């Protein structure tokens, strides 16, 4: 391998590669230990899911919450916060330990819960629908000990409007933005894995091209301290090779910038996500993405995973590049421009911006053609609620998938 030479000043800069401009919200250290427990079986998991009412803890979590599995973790979505729980079972008792967080603030805390043997756990662990389920325990604020009681009482399963799998909850930039002070960086493999805990069923990821023509995940055009730790490289991504980025750049939470090929493999093999929106930042990358997209789709099919991987068409320059591909109408795509362009490209999805409103008549027209309609990028809880309750969309792209999950699954 041919190595490039670095000046002394460059090496000095590398030694200063530490600081970040923005710190994540410090999540409390989970103090409930699950070492001596066993995982809950896949057959038992759906029996815990549903809408629960609160007997205690209303001031913090509201009167109703949504309980939903996200990969190996159980999540609870409230109107203003989310709870992420590790789960284990022992002696016919289900133990749940984790943290809660308000995604738009620093508010967080520990929470320890159980489902007792005679309050639903015994039946759940046998794979039998219980007559009732009570989840109860204690929560705390920040790193303070848990002391405030909370009780969740099973109320009902999800309605036909909110049946899991019939609506796409897409996490923006892999699941959330760095600016939302999550414990993982946007457009990183750990963020893609974290997205399920936040309620996402799919992700949107940003694709750029390196100097040696490797598609990578990165939103901004240049290396900067908004997204990366201070290091020896700065300037446009396309000025550097993949190997230079791999060695000398770390995202703001310490991860490497991932290649697209690695991100798609991770989605298929290591998550239950079923939708990937490839947001193309440079038309030059289009021709290089297509074989990676096709290889990932073939791999997903080979391992029995039904994953949609769609090349996003956000603007006219990407549209022109896409139309240069052989048989472009057969390549899975998502068109943001207009229904007319979506028809021309035979796009599987049309994706209008949320500021255009619900557009129910136009959405229904596009859906009648066999296409899905996914609205982007919607973050305000009031509008999320309105677009879910009054709109006809097949999904929403958001920086706050936990909020979309709450309003989607809470529907009656």
């Amino acid at each position: 391998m041919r190595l490039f030479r670095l000046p002394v000043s460059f090496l000095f800069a590398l030694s200063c590669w530490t600081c970040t401009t923005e710190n994540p919200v410090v999540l409390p250290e989970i103090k409930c230990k699950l070492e001596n427990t066993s995982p809950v079986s896949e057959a038992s998991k759906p029996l815990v899911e549903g809408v629960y009412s609160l007997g205690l803890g209303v001031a913090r979590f509201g009167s109703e919450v949504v309980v939903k599995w996200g990969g190996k973790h159980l999540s609870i979505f409230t109107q203003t916060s989310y709870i992420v729980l590790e789960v284990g079972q022992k002696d016919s008792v289900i133990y749940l330990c984790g943290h809660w967080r308000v995604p738009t603030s620093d508010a967080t805390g520990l929470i320890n819960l159980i489902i007792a043997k005679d309050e639903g756990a015994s039946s759940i662990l046998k794979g039998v629908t219980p007559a009732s389920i009570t989840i109860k325990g204690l929560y705390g604020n920040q790193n303070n000990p848990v002391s405030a009681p909370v009780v969740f009482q099973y109320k009902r399963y999800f309605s036909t409007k909110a049946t899991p799998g019939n609506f796409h909850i897409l996490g923006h930039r892999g699941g959330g933005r760095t600016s939302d002070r999550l414990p993982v960086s946007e457009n990183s493999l750990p963020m893609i894995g974290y997205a399920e805990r936040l309620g996402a069923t799919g992700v949107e990821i940003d694709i750029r091209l390196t100097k040696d023509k490797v598609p990578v995940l990165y939103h901004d055009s240049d290396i900067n301290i908004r997204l990366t730790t201070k290091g020896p490289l700065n300037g446009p991504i396309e000025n550097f090779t993949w190997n230079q980025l791999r060695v000398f750049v770390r995202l703001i939470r310490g991860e490497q910038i991932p290649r697209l090929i690695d991100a798609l493999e991770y989605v298929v093999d290591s998550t239950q996500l079923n939708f990937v929106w490839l947001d193309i930042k440079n038309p030059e990358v289009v021709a290089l993405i297509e074989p990676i997209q096709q290889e990932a789709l073939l791999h997903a099919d080979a391992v029995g995973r039904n994953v949609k991987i769609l090349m996003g068409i956000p603007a006219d320059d990407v549209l022109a590049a896409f139309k240069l591909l052989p048989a472009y109408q057969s390549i899975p795509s998502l068109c943001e421009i207009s229904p007319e362009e979506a028809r021309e490209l035979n796009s599987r999805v049309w994706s209008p911006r949320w500021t255009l409103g619900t557009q129910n008549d136009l959405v229904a027209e596009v859906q009648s053609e066999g296409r899905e309609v996914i609205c982007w990028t919607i973050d305000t809880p009031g509008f999320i609620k309105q677009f879910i309750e009054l709109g006809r969309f097949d999904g929403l792209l958001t920086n706050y998938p936990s909020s979309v999950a709450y309003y989607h699954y809470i529907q009656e």
Side-chain angles (χ1 to χ4, degrees), residues 212-227:
D212 53 342
K213 310 303 182 186
V214 176
V216 296
L217 275 59
Y218 196 80
H219 179 270
D220 295 2
S221 61
D222 63 332
I223 298 167
N224 58 66
I225 59 173
R226 187 187 81 80
L227 294 179

Side-chain angles (χ1 to χ4, degrees), residues 209-275:
L209 203 59
T210 65
K211 184 177 181 179
D212 53 342
K213 310 303 182 186
V214 176
V216 296
L217 275 59
Y218 196 80
H219 179 270
D220 295 2
S221 61
D222 63 332
I223 298 167
N224 58 66
I225 59 173
R226 187 187 81 80
L227 294 179
T228 67
T229 59
K230 289 182 179 179
L233 303 188
N234 62 76
I237 285 283
E238 62 265 26
N239 286 1
F240 304 101
T241 66
W242 156 244
N243 194 54
Q244 288 173 315
L245 296 176
R246 180 182 64 83
V247 173
F248 296 111
V249 177
R250 290 294 178 270
L251 296 172
I252 205 162
R253 310 292 181 239
E255 310 94 339
Q256 290 183 342
I257 294 175
R259 297 181 302 173
L260 173 61
I261 191 170
D262 297 324
L264 295 181
E265 181 179 327
Y266 182 82
V267 168
V268 173
D269 292 339
S270 302
T271 78
Q272 295 177 12
L273 299 170
N274 58 27
F275 195 110

Side-chain angles (χ1 to χ4, degrees), residues 52-54 65 76 83 113 133-135 150-154:
Y52 287 67
S53 59
L54 271 77
V65 301
I76 299 178
I83 303 169
L113 305 168
I133 306 172
T134 302
I135 306 174
V150 61
V151 176
F152 305 96
Q153 186 67 49
Y154 184 87

